[in-house]
DNA sequence: GTCGTTACTGTACGGACGTACAGGACGGTG
DNA sequence: CACCGTCCTGTACGTCCGTACAGTAACGAC
């Protein structure tokens, strides 16, 4: 965009439209044509800027990825503070949480280095941290319950202010994980 | 099957394969060809028995539907017993819970009387019962947190015995909903 | 034996998807 | 001016999906 664009930041508008549509319907259920018509350009224009489609997801996910690394590296002592960090992360990046939970890459095939594979590994890492090493059945159930509550609560209340969601959700997640406050 | 079938219950095997695949990958991500190859017949055979595709989902969902009606009509006094009933229902029908949460019908279009529309209405009804009338932000967050924890915990632990999941999940859901046991 | 029903198979169609590619409009640079 | 890179359109291709339809083999009924 060095030319006729004062205000017509097509690339950025595509990114924002994709963020919203992905959050509403999910990655697989959102086509390039959907995004294109939301922005007011052609499908080919979207493909021009983001090629292939999963680059859209990758670019949307990038801030969240760097953020979670910072958060994790900052360190936390116990399980409780880990959950706090996790809830904060989920709420802050709620517009892309659905991309993390959804399996972006197909079911089985895993082209090494693809964004889908990295996502799956990341989510499994979070789960492992929640469930602990060699988890018993109850631990598995609790870990998935926490993950599920995070995803749904965060995605379905995008219209609410961040801090409100964060406070309530933190209490709910802590309780579900078995912490008695 | 009045003919060459002692043991070759194709229709039933299609149903079971579909149940498993839908639970693993979801409805939209499972094609008729996937189901067909899992059973060992052609795609057309699946279409012959279940036409159109959503009849597969409808038939899988039928027992859950009649069960939830029975459960709801049996009545319960407070919110706590409602949650108990809901958890029991979710665990018992965990192989099809994903079909309930997933939006089977497309995003916007709603052919009246379609199974997708009924599902959405059903799920909204459950949510409304959880969140209460005119819910405040915190109530919305909690309701979705409970719903999300139910779905994920139930779907990701299909290999565990029903009663184990039910007990742990009930405790987690009650806690997430704000009940102090 | 003929007929009709049931349970499929093989083939093909129409639509939606992501993608590839050629071309055109525009502004910056030489 | 010519030249080039950027941004975007129009068109088209290959693939996969659900679906439609004609044909076929096996059985029971008469």
């Amino acid at each position: 965009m060095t030319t006729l664009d004062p205000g017509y930041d097509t690339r950025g508008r595509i990114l924002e439209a994709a963020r919203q549509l992905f959050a509403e319907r999910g990655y697989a259920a959102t086509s390039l044509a959907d995004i294109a018509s939301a922005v007011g350009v052609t499908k080919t224009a979207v493909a021009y800027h983001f090629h292939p489609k999963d680059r859209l997801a990758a670019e949307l996910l990038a801030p969240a990825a760097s953020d979670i690394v910072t958060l994790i590296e900052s360190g936390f002592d116990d399980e409780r503070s880990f959950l706090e960090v996790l809830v904060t992360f989920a709420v802050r990046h709620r517009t892309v949480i659905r991309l993390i939970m959804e399996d972006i890459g197909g079911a089985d095939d895993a082209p090494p280095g693809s964004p889908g594979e990295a996502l799956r590994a990341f989510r499994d890492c979070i789960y492992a941290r929640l469930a602990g090493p060699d988890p018993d059945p109850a631990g598995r159930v609790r870990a998935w319950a926490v993950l599920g509550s995070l995803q749904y609560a965060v995605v379905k209340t995008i219209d609410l202010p961040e801090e409100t969601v964060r406070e309530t959700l933190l209490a709910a997640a802590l309780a579900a994980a078995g912490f008695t406050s």
Side-chain angles (χ1 to χ4, degrees), chain A:
Chain A
M1 269 294 166
T2 57
T3 57
L4 79 139
D5 56 312
Y8 289 78
D9 180 13
T10 304
R11 196 187 145 91
R13 288 167 62 205
I14 290 175
L15 220 35
E16 284 317 302
R19 183 198 302 276
Q20 183 182 337
L21 289 173
F22 286 163
E24 285 175 10
R25 317 178 189 174
Y27 175 80
T30 303
S31 70
L32 294 188
D34 292 336
I35 301 169
S37 82
V39 176
V41 295
T42 47
K43 184 173 59 162
T44 341
V46 179
Y48 166 75
H49 287 286
F50 304 95
H51 206 48
K53 186 191 178 188
D54 54 20
R55 287 223 185 170
L56 250 175
E59 195 138 339
L60 249 13
L61 249 7
S66 74
D67 191 22
I68 192 70
V69 168
T70 305
L71 283 176
I72 286 186
E73 279 179 351
S74 75
F76 28 73
D77 331 323
D78 48 2
E79 295 303 315
R80 191 191 173 96
S81 60
F82 173 70
L83 246 183
E84 276 180 37
V85 164
L86 192 56
V87 169
T88 302
F89 169 78
V91 176
R92 184 179 304 162
H93 299 283
R94 50 184 162 175
T95 56
V96 296
I97 286 297
R98 188 158 179 172
L99 295 176
I100 297 179
M101 292 296 174
E102 194 176 341
D103 274 330
I104 278 189
D108 40 358
D109 58 340
S114 76
E117 197 188 10
L119 267 193
R120 195 162 357 208
F122 168 70
R123 200 191 44 208
D124 290 351
C125 162
I126 299 284
Y127 167 77
R129 186 71 168 80
L130 267 180
D134 202 42
D136 59 342
R140 287 178 53 200
V141 172
R142 268 193 296 266
W144 283 118
V146 168
L147 245 22
S149 67
L150 285 194
Q151 139 131 46
Y152 270 75
V154 134
V155 164
K156 297 284 190 178
T157 58
I158 298 200
D159 56 300
L160 296 178
E162 214 176 287
E163 191 50 29
T164 306
V165 177
R166 195 190 151 274
E167 284 176 10
T168 311
L169 184 52
L170 179 56
L174 281 174
F179 292 96
T180 57
S181 57

